[in-house]
Amino acid sequence: MQINNEFKPKIVAFCCNWCSYAGADLAGTNRLNYPADVKIIRVPCSCRVNPMFILRAFQRGADGVIICGCHPGDCHYTSGNYYARRRITLLFSMLDYLGIERERTRLEWVSAAEGAKFSATMNEFVETVTKLGENKRLEDLRCKAE
Amino acid sequence: MYKISVEKLDDLFKKASESRTIYLPVDKENGAKFEKWSEGKKLSNALNTVRSAKDFIFPQTENLADFRISGKNIEVRDAHEELEDFVIFGMRACDARSFEILDKVFLAEPVDTYYKNRREHGVLVTIACTKPSETCFCQTFGIDPTKPEGDVSAWICDGEMYFESNTEKGKTFIESISALLEESGSEAVEKQQSETKEILAKLPLKDVKTDAFGGDKLNELFNSPKWAELSESCLGCGTCTFVCPTCQCYDIRDFDCGKEIKRFRCWDSCMYSDFTRMAHGNSRNSQLERFRQRFMHKLVYFPANNDGQFGCVGCGRCLSKCPISMNIVKVMKTLEG
Amino acid sequence: MQSRMIERAKQLLADGTVNRVIGWKKGEFAYDITPAVFESAEEIDKDFVYDDFCGHNLSKYLIKESRKEGKLLAFLKPCDTYSFNQLIKEHRIIRENVYIIGIACDGKADAEKIKAKGISGITGISSDDDTFTVKTIYDDEKISKSEVLEERCTVCKSRKHAVYDELIGDEGEVNENSGRFDMVTKLENMTADERYTFWRNELSKCIRCNACRNVCPACSCENCVFDNPNSGIAQKSAATSFEENMFHIIRAFHVAGRCTDCGECSRVCPQNIPLHLLNRKFIKDINELYGEYQAGVEDEGRTPLTSYTKDDCEPSIVNERGCK
């Protein structure tokens, strides 16, 4: 048997319940592929994503974190994603400031009708993170024990 | 007594590091810090390190055991480290005494085997102080900084470093480097000692006395109305505790790594709001009580349980590091006065 | 200055305007000053001090003190008044219970910087304009005050008070060109690897004493997330480099948009970590992305993170911006 040593990144995707999660569903029903390395966590709104969630994902072994929400203006709660946009921007900027690879984090607006966008975004993101390799700068060594 | 030229210290470290790891204070951007010796690292002249030497025998975090569940079995893995012999080269008298105090806590029954493991592997080489600072008050606790305790005492005078061993461990260490040393008289050291003693007599805190403290003063001190004003501006941070060479409280926690559980201990501070929190709640709910605990422990409870030995060595770290400059000297002076 | 403050404090105590005074109390040496509440003229005469080492921001104490019986006199330096206003905005201080005397400040000195010059055995410090004469048990030394100023004072953003009931000393000006973001810019212009090395070196010094959090006027939560045993983060010690990063990123983030840049976090850090560089990064980003904003100028209104506009930039701006 051949052992595949190729690096497979672990990706955590926080998806808003009303748009992006439905978008992911649509990708599924349309048989659009996206890598199995992406683990989706459903949240009520992109605004629910506390910066600590993102850091926690990295701690627990994620190599990339992506947040997906409704397009600006389409938030189920009218303004959640606007608040999220500011917060996530500042957080990403801070991670970059600390020297953590900026390509490991991403935010994308995906509506319930955008199954194709969901699949394309995930493929692209997985490819980017695969190139970056394992998350070393925000890792918690304790969680890496075999 | 033996001596070596200070210029030849590098040779000494090289020789000694053949059999042991050498740690010594080195100058960093923000004060001296203990580091592992390697070629090119120079012994700092600083009066003391920013962090105390207790990290060597009682590190801030330490793994105690790992647990792993497979099927119906729980596998427990002992996390005692395999240690090499090491030398802490260049501790001061205050830190050396702090080890004695920590020994009373960790080496009393039941013996703390993690601590014992580290303690047994270490040789302490202490260097006498020659330029004490205003925050020094080790004399209050009967420490002589001109003749520091430890396995080996050392003095640096006029470009020479003098050694004298105090224990078997110290003797073995001196023997291991004896090829580099020459025998010497003690005149230079004695001269330095008397000079330093003159400086010690001028220190602003030389008159801090322990007479008003001790195990028998419990009720009177505990009920003193002065704790309120002393503690009113305390921030409740752990700076004093974490820079203190004798603070020994720790907490044991489990960390779930996903695949296994790591049980570790880490320093705790009685200044923290969740110190000794139990199922029923917390026994000390105000900062006054927490603040009082720290000083009562050092000045009353500890001597009560340890033949009158106080839990402070007068190193002065808390005096220079407390964000609001409230410290044990102010506490002692206020409670006395 | 000190004598005018003492005189006015005693007057206000005597005429019943206030029943307590919060200020600074003398220490053992020249520089180890402690914030303290005084209740009588005798206490003030005995211990009250205001000099070059009174750097402590008293605003945070007012959360607790303003909830006590009676009115309190607080002496606030310009940067303290920003913190005060911010706390009023967050409904943490009861304004009616505080009488503020704004006091002029020409920068505070950092005792550690004096010691770093090799000066030891300090028994007294007297100042004459810009010169400190340091009395020690060894030789007396003269140094210039500007050499030993706290970092935050070398880039003072404002000598103008944001709020006061009365003023002692001359009112200063806001300094738009303080240069306080210079170091942030310098870091931004480094490569990611250099920045990573810089921050790892700094944050690995952290001993998790929580002094930065406890002194911070913006960290006024009744119960901090890091004090919650269920948060999964060790409150008491950073067991891994991840936890060091986590604590400092999250703490800086929690005060983003509310931090007035008073600089207390860096002043108190026993390990001298330049924590202000994290807060200033957020302030600089907010200024650049969402418009100039200085927390604490006003005592009402929304903060940048509790408001938005429909055409805010996307997070991808982080990738597009100039820094390497």
Side-chain angles (χ1 to χ4, degrees):
Chain A
M1 198 177 82
Q2 202 190 356
I3 298 166
N4 190 357
N5 280 329
E6 201 185 319
F7 169 64
K8 289 276 204 185
K10 293 192 191 75
I11 305 290
V12 171
F14 291 100
C15 292
C16 127
N17 177 52
W18 304 100
C19 292
S20 313
Y21 195 78
D25 243 359
L26 185 66
T29 43
N30 286 350
R31 310 276 166 111
L32 296 166
N33 287 329
Y34 68 89
D37 312 318
V38 179
K39 319 283 177 205
I40 296 181
I41 297 177
R42 182 165 65 159
V43 286
C45 177
S46 50
C47 189
R48 175 67 184 90
V49 181
N50 179 327
M52 241 171 156
F53 292 3
I54 298 170
L55 297 183
R56 178 82 75 228
F58 283 119
Q59 179 188 25
R60 298 281 159 177
D63 300 300
V65 176
I66 181 166
I67 296 130
C68 301
C70 309
H71 283 268
D74 294 347
C75 179
H76 183 78
Y77 308 100
T78 63
S79 55
N81 53 4
Y82 285 124
Y83 290 110
R85 185 160 64 179
R86 283 200 170 188
R87 276 181 220 161
I88 301 294
T89 306
L90 289 181
L91 179 75
F92 285 4
S93 177
M94 177 53 76
L95 292 178
D96 177 46
Y97 184 61
L98 293 176
I100 290 143
E101 303 93 335
R102 58 177 69 140
E103 296 88 353
R104 285 197 195 281
T105 46
R106 185 162 167 179
L107 178 138
E108 207 62 56
W109 309 123
V110 179
S111 81
E114 292 176 323
K117 182 179 180 185
F118 185 87
S119 141
T121 304
M122 292 304 157
N123 278 309
E124 202 184 294
F125 189 55
V126 169
E127 197 184 319
T128 315
V129 177
T130 310
K131 272 188 207 145
L132 281 177
E134 221 181 321
N135 159 37
K136 284 278 175 201
R137 295 190 171 176
L138 259 186
E139 70 181 351
D140 190 328
L141 279 176
R142 295 172 299 184
C143 299
K144 298 243 161 146
E146 277 312 309
Chain B
M1 201 168 265
Y2 297 91
K3 71 173 182 181
I4 184 174
S5 159
V6 169
E7 280 163 18
K8 288 193 188 147
L9 272 180
D10 266 349
D11 299 338
L12 186 151
F13 294 141
K14 195 181 237 172
K15 174 81 183 132
S17 61
E18 284 168 9
S19 52
R20 299 174 170 87
T21 314
I22 312 284
Y23 294 97
L24 75 173
V26 275
D27 286 321
K28 307 296 277 185
E29 203 183 324
N30 297 302
K33 183 189 170 198
F34 280 107
E35 280 193 355
K36 191 173 165 177
W37 179 81
S38 60
E39 202 98 33
K41 283 195 180 164
K42 295 274 174 249
L43 180 69
S44 162
N45 284 323
L47 177 64
N48 221 336
T49 47
V50 177
R51 289 182 70 162
S52 80
K54 91 176 162 186
D55 297 65
F56 289 109
I57 45 169
F58 176 42
Q60 185 160 17
T61 57
E62 179 171 33
N63 231 19
L64 301 181
D66 299 335
F67 307 99
R68 191 179 277 253
I69 299 174
S70 50
K72 284 188 175 172
N73 297 319
I74 300 180
E75 182 200 336
V76 182
R77 202 173 57 82
D78 180 17
H80 277 89
E81 276 179 65
E82 293 258 349
L83 288 174
E84 292 177 345
D85 284 344
F86 62 93
V87 182
I88 315 175
F89 194 98
M91 283 170 73
R92 295 297 184 180
C94 44
D95 279 8
R97 175 66 67 85
S98 80
F99 279 29
E100 196 183 299
I101 291 171
L102 294 174
D103 283 352
K104 294 205 165 160
V105 178
F106 290 108
L107 297 183
E109 284 298 328
V111 172
D112 186 305
T113 51
Y114 299 88
Y115 178 90
K116 187 161 173 259
N117 187 21
R118 290 172 193 279
R119 189 74 171 89
E120 281 173 351
H121 282 87
V123 178
L124 319 182
V125 179
T126 54
I127 300 181
C129 303
T130 53
K131 205 184 173 197
S133 100
E134 72 277 8
T135 53
C136 292
F137 58 111
C138 60
Q139 304 170 89
T140 301
F141 301 101
I143 297 169
D144 181 359
T146 67
K147 171 77 179 79
E149 297 156 1
D151 298 312
V152 176
S153 309
W155 293 262
I156 301 176
C157 14
D158 309 325
E160 304 276 353
M161 189 159 191
Y162 295 82
F163 296 98
E164 191 172 67
S165 57
N166 305 321
T167 63
E168 277 306 310
K169 247 194 209 171
K171 219 176 235 170
T172 323
F173 174 68
I174 291 289
E175 273 160 22
S176 76
I177 52 168
S178 59
L180 295 162
L181 304 176
E182 49 181 301
E183 289 220 34
S184 156
S186 58
E187 300 76 24
V189 167
E190 279 158 20
K191 182 163 168 279
Q192 186 200 60
Q193 285 178 319
S194 65
E195 282 166 9
T196 310
K197 280 190 176 138
E198 280 172 32
I199 301 173
L200 289 171
K202 286 192 261 176
L203 288 181
L205 300 181
K206 63 175 190 305
D207 294 325
V208 178
K209 291 281 177 285
T210 55
D211 305 341
F213 307 94
D216 51 337
K217 311 281 194 314
L218 194 145
N219 282 324
E220 167 196 347
L221 291 172
F222 188 88
N223 295 318
S224 167
K226 291 173 181 163
W227 291 112
E229 70 166 275
L230 284 169
S231 65
E232 73 179 347
S233 39
C234 176
L235 298 169
C237 75
T239 305
C240 51
T241 319
F242 290 175
V243 297
C244 179
T246 67
C247 269
Q248 76 277 126
C249 293
Y250 61 83
D251 191 11
I252 296 182
R253 297 249 173 153
D254 286 346
F255 178 79
D256 182 355
C257 313
K259 292 181 181 115
E260 63 180 6
I261 306 283
K262 284 196 180 293
R263 175 158 297 174
F264 66 102
R265 74 164 159 206
C266 58
W267 295 351
D268 201 350
S269 171
C270 48
M271 293 292 188
Y272 286 166
S273 56
D274 69 343
F275 183 73
T276 64
R277 181 164 63 191
M278 293 165 272
H280 85 281
N282 204 326
S283 46
R284 295 180 207 100
N285 284 307
S286 67
Q287 199 56 35
L288 184 151
E289 294 164 287
R290 292 178 211 128
F291 183 91
R292 179 173 61 192
Q293 165 65 23
R294 180 156 194 275
F295 297 101
M296 287 294 282
H297 188 192
K298 293 199 182 300
L299 299 170
V300 178
Y301 311 146
F302 200 82
N305 295 324
N306 295 284
D307 314 317
Q309 177 154 34
F310 290 94
C312 175
V313 294
C315 71
R317 286 187 179 89
C318 55
L319 274 70
S320 50
K321 289 297 181 186
C322 173
I324 57 146
S325 300
M326 178 45 76
N327 52 57
I328 192 160
V329 168
K330 288 186 181 175
V331 168
M332 287 169 82
K333 288 197 167 181
T334 309
L335 289 175
E336 258 172 17
Chain C
M1 188 79 186
Q2 180 183 315
S3 54
R4 283 169 73 193
M5 287 162 68
I6 290 178
E7 191 191 335
R8 188 67 186 124
K10 288 201 282 194
Q11 272 172 12
L12 288 168
L13 274 175
D15 69 17
T17 313
V18 299
N19 67 354
R20 287 160 300 141
V21 178
I22 187 164
W24 298 268
K25 188 178 176 174
K26 273 191 227 131
E28 288 294 318
F29 322 114
Y31 56 80
D32 58 333
I33 281 155
T34 303
V37 176
F38 301 85
E39 292 183 358
S40 65
E42 294 75 54
E43 284 176 24
I44 292 178
D45 278 331
K46 188 164 157 267
D47 287 326
F48 188 96
V49 63
Y50 181 69
D51 63 17
D52 294 306
F53 296 91
C54 296
H56 321 75
N57 182 344
L58 300 180
S59 293
K60 190 169 189 184
Y61 289 111
L62 299 176
I63 299 173
K64 189 176 71 184
E65 288 298 329
S66 74
R67 284 173 164 70
K68 292 183 183 167
E69 187 84 21
K71 198 161 178 165
L72 171 87
L73 165 61
F75 288 107
L76 300 183
K77 302 184 293 294
C79 50
D80 306 350
T81 60
Y82 285 83
S83 309
F84 182 87
N85 254 358
Q86 184 62 31
L87 284 162
I88 292 287
K89 184 189 266 189
E90 292 164 13
H91 310 286
R92 305 291 284 123
I93 292 177
I94 301 170
R95 180 68 181 91
E96 302 77 65
N97 287 344
V98 188
Y99 187 88
I100 305 170
I101 296 189
I103 45 175
C105 166
D106 55 357
K108 298 295 168 204
D110 180 349
E112 293 216 354
K113 284 195 181 166
I114 298 179
K115 293 183 188 178
K117 292 191 172 292
I119 300 177
S120 170
I122 302 169
T123 51
I125 298 174
S126 53
S127 73
D128 179 19
D129 283 334
D130 187 49
T131 312
F132 280 155
T133 307
V134 187
K135 273 177 77 82
T136 80
I137 56 169
Y138 305 102
D139 294 320
D140 289 0
E141 311 253 2
K142 279 197 191 307
I143 37 168
S144 123
K145 180 178 165 184
S146 52
E147 278 179 71
V148 293
L149 276 183
E150 286 179 16
E151 190 279 341
R152 59 179 173 182
C153 302
T154 61
V155 291
C156 179
K157 64 180 181 291
S158 168
R159 289 191 175 176
K160 184 172 183 264
H161 296 79
V163 57
Y164 58 83
D165 294 316
E166 68 178 82
L167 209 57
I168 295 184
D170 297 328
E171 180 69 312
E173 294 291 323
V174 173
N175 182 5
E176 300 286 356
N177 303 311
S178 62
R180 62 184 169 128
F181 298 119
D182 290 356
M183 187 58 196
V184 178
T185 312
K186 197 176 152 198
L187 278 167
E188 284 172 348
N189 288 333
M190 290 178 177
T191 63
D193 289 349
E194 286 166 346
R195 284 198 297 268
Y196 180 73
T197 314
F198 173 86
W199 282 110
R200 211 65 299 288
N201 179 36
E202 293 297 344
L203 296 182
S204 62
K205 293 187 217 156
C206 177
I207 56 172
R208 281 305 300 280
C209 64
N210 290 315
C212 50
R213 178 192 75 182
N214 291 14
V215 81
C216 177
C219 271
S220 63
C221 291
E222 296 276 331
N223 219 334
C224 175
V225 59
F226 292 109
D227 280 352
N228 175 2
N230 299 326
S231 73
I233 284 292
Q235 169 218 354
K236 295 156 180 172
S237 71
T240 61
S241 62
F242 176 83
E243 290 195 346
E244 289 157 3
N245 287 331
M246 175 84 151
F247 175 75
H248 290 288
I249 296 173
I250 295 299
R251 205 191 81 76
F253 194 87
H254 280 186
V255 300
R258 306 189 298 118
C259 167
T260 64
D261 196 13
C262 74
E264 283 286 88
C265 44
S266 294
R267 177 183 70 83
V268 301
C269 180
Q271 297 288 91
N272 297 94
I273 305 172
L275 295 165
H276 59 274
L277 293 177
L278 293 175
N279 300 319
R280 283 188 195 155
K281 169 65 177 167
F282 278 129
I283 297 173
K284 184 167 179 284
D285 274 351
I286 288 169
N287 284 345
E288 286 171 2
L289 302 174
Y290 309 121
E292 288 287 322
Y293 180 83
Q294 170 62 50
V297 170
E298 285 149 356
D299 60 6
E300 54 186 13
R302 286 183 165 243
T303 65
L305 280 177
T306 52
S307 52
Y308 63 88
T309 63
K310 288 186 176 168
D311 46 10
D312 280 341
C313 59
E314 294 292 330
S316 58
I317 192 160
V318 176
N319 299 345
E320 293 151 14
R321 279 198 301 178
C323 54
K324 284 176 200 155

